[in-house]
Amino acid sequence: MCIFNTMKPRTLLLLAALWLLAACSKKDTNPAPAPAPTPTPVVSTPFTRADNEDLVLYEVNTPAFSASRNINGVTARLDAIKSLGVNTLWTMPIQPVGQVNSIGSPYCVRDYYGVNPSLGNLNDLKNLVNGAHARGMAVILDWVANHTSWDHPWLAANPQWYTQVNGQVVSPQGTGWNDVADLNYANTDMRQAMISAMKYWVQQAGVDGFRCDAADYVPADFWQQAIDSLRRVQPRLIMLAEGARADHFSAGFDLNFSWNYLGALYGVFHNGQNASNLFTASAAEWSTVPAGKRKLRFITNHDEMGNSTPATSYGGPTGALAAEAATLFLPGNPLLYGGQEVGVPSNSVYTGGTIDWNANPATLQAYTKLMAAYSSSDAARRGTLQTYPDNNVLVYTRGYNTQQLLVLVNTRNSVQTVSLDAALAGSWNNALESGTLTVGSSMTLQPYQYVVLKK
């Protein structure tokens, strides 16, 4: 399968985004609004975002998130999102979607300053931001800097702002993204216009940063220029690069994506590879991360869901929970994709459907327990990792000051017995249930069983 890649698996979105033809493009038929509107600046609840080590992210696909299919539907569920220990909300692009050569993808942006009218308006976004801030959560917007729609006003007014081959504006070469036109980062005027558009959302809507789409395709010196400029407006912005380049960090990003780890996770759970491959992949990714910077860890997101659900990728609903447990407590910052916590089925979010929040209460309960254990543990967020290699069972500890966390995950759909190091022996508290457990020289785990202990 091609869903795991060190670069963005964007081509999957082109297949998956057909749902937006009904959800967005049919509704979004107004002419592109004039750029640079000047609404009244937002008056936001005072807010201080979490330190990088403590960020817990939650991705929202707005049209699929609620029955109302709009921003207000997200605002109405802020308490439920907060209850998972989330402190950073990432919304997929909210701007108007292009109509020319379009397949309805939200990553085909027609107006950097607008809100897609099918999703709401600027005041709705302000209400979402203020509601999140009141609950101690940040809001970051998905930002598409690599390309625009073919009917974006920039193209007619400034064709030199776009990449041209033989005098013709082209799509990003080698991607197959034919619904969008590639921007030319050799053009200084375009760079300034892009930075101005990003500033607009910080200054007018009070957003707390950006998840930057296809960050690997945009030059690092632009990202540094943009982030430096944005942080002169708001020093504590959260900047997440959707990519894997090491220079994202020197450019000023706080986090980037763990694509290699995701591939290893699929290899272990779906292809039966050695469970310790997860340790190898994690260590390799962290080897290029400077102090204070972070890797984003996830078992799915909107790209992956376009091709395969966690249940399909990891051996069923129980296997998906085991994959989440394995990933959650390793070094990195967790991301949940909206609906993941209720086991949203494969294509429901891409075919005009919305999430059934009452589906799979047992899955929701399991996620709630896992996230509570993570959020309440300094060791889970900051602890030193100690690994104990085994072919089938993932065994590791995280230690921080006097806290210690022990995680065991059976990565197989069969009963497994793992030998345990003598250093782990003794009485531990169950981090997911009440009671204690005595660890001896071995432990037998049921198919896809996971155990999280603390002391």
Side-chain angles (χ1 to χ4, degrees):
M1 298 178 67
C2 61
I3 62 172
F4 304 108
N5 199 300
T6 55
M7 305 293 283
K8 175 181 174 28
R10 172 65 179 274
T11 54
L12 297 171
L13 183 61
L14 300 183
L15 298 174
L18 291 175
W19 68 277
L20 278 163
L21 290 173
C24 294
S25 61
K26 288 183 180 178
K27 299 178 183 178
D28 180 24
T29 56
N30 296 327
T38 55
T40 304
V42 67
V43 179
S44 180
T45 304
F47 174 72
T48 301
R49 62 97 150 180
D51 293 337
N52 284 351
E53 293 87 350
D54 297 319
L55 296 175
V56 178
L57 283 77
Y58 188 96
E59 180 187 4
V60 169
N61 183 348
T62 303
F65 196 73
S66 68
S68 63
R69 308 181 66 84
N70 58 23
I71 293 170
N72 290 338
V74 181
T75 304
R77 287 199 60 82
L78 284 175
D79 286 333
I81 297 170
K82 173 69 175 178
S83 70
L84 291 171
V86 171
N87 56 36
T88 305
L89 191 68
W90 149 30
T91 69
M92 287 173 65
I94 61 167
Q95 288 89 359
V97 175
Q99 304 297 300
V100 176
N101 299 331
S102 177
I103 62 168
S105 167
Y107 293 89
C108 178
V109 172
R110 183 164 53 91
D111 172 24
Y112 281 120
Y113 289 93
V115 175
N116 188 328
S118 71
L119 302 182
N121 56 41
L122 181 61
N123 283 332
D124 294 330
L125 179 63
K126 290 180 180 181
N127 289 337
L128 173 63
V129 171
N130 283 329
H133 286 181
R135 293 163 173 83
M137 292 190 289
V139 176
I140 65 175
L141 298 185
D142 219 323
W143 194 259
V144 187
N146 182 66
H147 46 262
T148 72
S149 71
W150 288 97
D151 50 354
H152 193 290
W154 283 4
L155 197 148
N158 301 288
Q160 71 277 15
W161 288 10
Y162 291 80
T163 302
Q164 299 186 25
V165 175
N166 297 324
Q168 298 295 316
V169 175
V170 296
S171 296
Q173 297 181 68
T175 65
W177 305 344
N178 297 322
D179 60 326
V180 294
D182 193 59
L183 286 165
N184 173 21
Y185 274 87
N187 189 289
T188 57
D189 291 336
M190 186 279 291
R191 286 180 173 227
Q192 290 297 333
M194 183 67 71
I195 293 169
S196 294
M198 296 177 81
K199 283 182 179 179
Y200 168 83
W201 296 98
V202 176
Q203 295 172 318
Q204 301 294 346
V207 302
D208 305 291
F210 299 93
R211 175 268 191 189
C212 295
D213 179 68
D216 284 339
Y217 293 83
V218 176
D221 66 333
F222 168 74
W223 289 130
Q224 182 169 359
Q225 177 186 4
I227 293 170
D228 286 349
S229 180
L230 289 165
R231 284 191 169 138
R232 284 193 287 271
V233 175
Q234 169 52 272
R236 292 280 285 165
L237 289 180
I238 300 167
M239 298 300 298
L240 166 63
E242 194 229 4
R245 289 192 336 225
D247 62 11
H248 292 151
F249 299 117
S250 58
F253 282 106
D254 298 292
L255 312 93
N256 71 3
F257 274 45
S258 288
W259 289 123
N260 288 344
Y261 174 84
L262 187 66
L265 189 70
Y266 182 81
V268 170
F269 278 84
H270 194 82
N271 295 333
Q273 295 175 2
N274 192 317
S276 295
N277 288 357
L278 298 181
F279 298 143
T280 303
S282 177
E285 286 185 329
W286 277 99
S287 67
T288 62
V289 179
K293 305 295 186 175
R294 307 292 293 174
K295 298 296 292 189
L296 187 69
R297 289 282 164 80
F298 48 93
I299 69 168
T300 192
N301 60 25
H302 69 271
D303 281 313
E304 310 311 317
M305 285 289 288
N307 187 77
S308 177
T309 65
T312 303
S313 295
Y314 306 116
T318 307
L321 282 169
E324 180 64 41
T327 302
L328 180 62
F329 298 99
L330 284 172
N333 291 72
L335 166 72
L336 296 179
Y337 175 59
Q340 175 184 341
E341 68 271 36
V342 292
V344 64
S346 181
N347 292 318
S348 65
V349 295
Y350 297 110
T351 56
T354 57
I355 298 167
D356 179 2
W357 293 106
N358 295 315
N360 303 316
T363 301
L364 176 59
Q365 183 182 41
Y367 267 97
T368 301
K369 290 179 179 180
L370 283 168
M371 296 305 299
Y374 176 86
S375 298
S376 63
S377 173
D378 289 332
R381 299 189 306 277
R382 293 175 167 80
T384 300
L385 176 68
Q386 176 66 54
T387 64
Y388 300 89
D390 183 83
N391 287 342
N392 301 307
V393 178
L394 201 70
V395 182
Y396 62 91
T397 60
R398 303 286 304 276
Y400 184 79
N401 293 335
T402 60
Q403 293 185 16
Q404 196 169 15
L405 200 67
L406 170 60
V407 179
L408 303 98
V409 181
N410 183 359
T411 66
R412 309 299 182 217
N413 191 20
S414 59
V415 176
Q416 297 291 329
T417 298
V418 58
S419 298
L420 298 175
D421 192 283
L424 304 178
S427 180
W428 294 76
N429 295 312
N430 193 325
L432 303 178
E433 308 287 348
S434 60
T436 61
L437 188 149
T438 299
V439 173
S441 60
S442 67
M443 185 179 295
T444 298
L445 300 174
Q446 297 304 304
Y448 294 132
Q449 183 183 358
Y450 54 87
V451 177
V452 183
L453 306 174
K454 64 181 180 179
K455 62 180 178 181

